[in-house]
Each structure stands twice: as structure tokens, then as C-alpha cells.
Amino acid sequence: LAAAGPAMGRARLALPGTRLLGQSCRRPAGPQASPEPSSRGLPEGVEYIPTRKKGKNPMKPVGVAWYSLYARTRLGYLFYQRQVKKARERYPHGHSVPQPCRFPGVKILPIPVLSNNYSYLVIDTGSGQAAVIDPSDPLAVQAAIEDEGVMLEAIFCTHKHWDHSGGNAALRQQHGSCKVYGSALDAIPELTNPLADKEKVKVGCLTFEALATPGHTVGHMVYVLDGGPFGGPPCLFSGDLLFLAGCGELFEGSPETMLASLDVAVGLGEDTLLWPGHEYALECLTFASLLELDNPALEQKLQWATQQRQEKRSTCPSTLGEEQTYNPFLRTHQPELQAALGLRRGGGEHPDAFRARVLKEVRRRKDLYKPT
């Protein structure tokens, strides 16, 4: 992997609603992309509706009590440290073989961390400036920064959970000018720059837009890299909102809240690249295949993912267009899925209310699903 150059320039004034880090930008020449506690911050029309829920917790299957301890006390941090230690021992080179993605002037490097998480190093190759999304393991992220020879200017945190934010403090200590971005509604460690919904941040020539997507946590945000200036598609760093063929647990939101957030993601367009926070593809696709028994797109993707995982290769990225053909959480409007779940829209029931009911049932079944 080629190291980015150190060239720096003068920063131009940012547009209103945009935060600027780094140099002035020119469109690079080259070929097209090749795969290698208030309501502030919530999108307009989206209301956060807390819910009490029982069921499986993917971090530890002991339910609401454990989640409260994990998310709100030092016990969660100690558990995270144990996760990091065990993962470093078990996967000294990461749980998957990453597949970098390059546009002219941009490089996206997935960093496999913990047992199934992904952090992402996003590099403006013209200036050598970079941002990292969800730095779970600071040692792995720092190693990538050094290998690439880049300057870390920003940390974008999707949400507060330690497996997405646990490396913030160590990286901030090592990179003094680095800023930490995220929602003020989540208790994100080392947060320096709270973001509102649809606020933009520039890192060198890269423009990221923060979108409020509550449901998994009340302050969950996703980040969208504008690929247009580089001849590439938009890139969605989805954290625990959306996975390949899956979506995050509803720890701090209702099905209605999560549905609205998923609709925000879908609205980004079918060519948008999806970079999720976890390597859950095989499990999620296998579960989806139990719901839709006659879905050629799903069957084909499952075969591909099975081969990828047998070779310990990453399944990232997919596209939002692909996801809508097999991800049950994005197919709540499809009659085939509704029929498979045995659900019918009630008389006078609003279409979105029915879709939320479908999503709730898919989520319930996924929570009970135990992969073999």
C-alpha cells in the first residue's frame, strides 16, 4: 500500500454548516473508482421513542441489566479491555483480510479489530491527512496510520459503545491536534466537537456529512463521505445502524425510530457504498435466507459471502442498491417478506406503521436466531 504524500496547503473558508480541516482542494485527475439529552441532532420529523426491551444482547446475552452496566459504568470499559486483549491474542493480524478501496485522491482502508468490528482509515492522498471512523483498538489504528504515513486529523464516532469508541483517548493522546466528532446525545469518550444532524466536516479535501440515525443508541450517527469530487460514489460509514443483510439492535429506540433511520440511509442512493461497523455478513445472510426461501439475489450473495469468509476475507463494502434486494430490514415494504412473516396490514393502518411492525417482527426473530 503506497503511503500518502505529505504536501500541505492553505485552508479555504468553509461553506456555512461545514467545518474545515486542512488544505484547499482540487479535483484529482485519474481513472474512475475501483473497489479495492435534548432533541438536538435528530433529523427533522424523527422522534426518539425509548423502549424497554427484553432479549438477546450481542455483547453479552444477559439482557437489559448487562446493557445498562456496559453502556453506563466502568464495568463496560473493563469488559471492552478484556475483549481487546483476547482479540489481539486470537487475531494478531485481524479477524479478516481487508480490501482497500481507492478513488483518485482518496483511499479507504478497513481495519479489522476486536473479534468482528471494523474501523476505517479514510485518507486524502493529496495532503496525507486522514480521519478514522470508530477506532476500537488504538494499536491497530495507529499501526495503519504509521504504515500509510498519514496525519490523523479527525475521529468520527458513530456512537458511545466501547467497541466503537474505546480507542478515542489513546489516539487523542498520541495525536494532539486530532478532534473527536459525534453526537452530544451519546456519552462519547473524548468528544471535542459535537455535531448536529446534516452538519458537514472537511478533512483536507474530504467532506463528511453527519446524519442522525437513532435507534441503536439515542445519539447514533452515520457519516457519509462525498465521493463526487473524486469520481467515486458516496460512502456510508454506518456503525451499528446497518450491516450487510442486517441492522443493529434496538437498545435505545423503538421500531418506528429505527425504521426512520434506515429510511435516511436508503435515501442516499443505490450506488452508495456501505461500510458497516461489524463483519456479520454470513450470519445475517443465513438468517435472511430463512425468511425468504426464494430470493435469487439473497442466495447468490450468501454463496459469495460463504466463500469470502472461508478465506477469512472481508465482505465490505456492499451497496445500498444490493442491500435492498436481500436485507430484510430494508425490505419491510415487500409483500414477499410480509407474507413470509404472516403479517397483513390492518384496515386504516398507516403504511409506515405497518412497516415498523414488520421490522419489529424481523428484529424479534433475529434476536432469537442462533447460528449453527
Side-chain angles (χ1 to χ4, degrees), residues 29 34 44 61 63 66 88 152 164 173 197 207 229 231 258 266 282:
S34 61
E44 183 178 355
W66 167 256
R88 287 173 181 169
L152 184 64
H164 293 258
Q173 187 173 10
D197 182 46
T207 301
M258 180 61 87
V266 169
L282 195 54

Side-chain angles (χ1 to χ4, degrees), residues 308-329:
Q308 288 289 104
R309 297 312 298 153
Q310 285 175 350
E311 299 172 2
K312 301 298 182 185
R313 297 183 66 83
S314 169
T315 59
C316 307
S318 65
T319 69
L320 292 182
E322 275 188 275
E323 290 298 311
Q324 291 174 72
T325 67
Y326 53 67
N327 188 328
F329 296 97

Side-chain angles (χ1 to χ4, degrees), residues 3-71:
M8 295 286 289
R10 293 186 178 180
R12 291 182 180 176
L13 292 178
L15 295 174
T18 302
R19 305 186 186 192
L20 182 63
L21 297 174
Q23 67 170 47
S24 60
C25 301
R26 296 178 183 174
R27 182 188 177 103
Q32 293 298 304
S34 61
E36 271 250 347
S38 71
S39 61
R40 180 183 182 274
L42 295 183
E44 183 178 355
V46 174
E47 177 187 4
Y48 170 61
I49 308 172
T51 181
R52 289 178 168 238
K53 104 181 248 310
K54 296 181 179 180
K56 179 178 125 182
N57 182 312
M59 294 174 290
K60 194 83 170 179
V62 294
V64 174
W66 167 256
Y67 177 73
S68 297
L69 292 172
Y70 178 86

Side-chain angles (χ1 to χ4, degrees), residues 201-261:
V201 179
K202 289 187 72 69
V203 179
C205 294
L206 310 176
T207 301
F208 295 86
E209 182 177 14
L211 298 176
T213 51
H216 184 68
T217 67
V218 64
H220 194 287
M221 278 188 150
V222 299
Y223 300 96
V224 183
L225 172 67
D226 182 5
F230 310 98
C235 292
L236 169 62
F237 299 94
S238 61
D240 282 1
L241 169 70
L242 185 62
F243 310 127
L244 195 153
C247 85
E249 281 262 31
L250 278 64
F251 289 125
E252 299 180 11
S254 68
E256 291 79 8
T257 303
M258 180 61 87
L259 179 65
S261 293

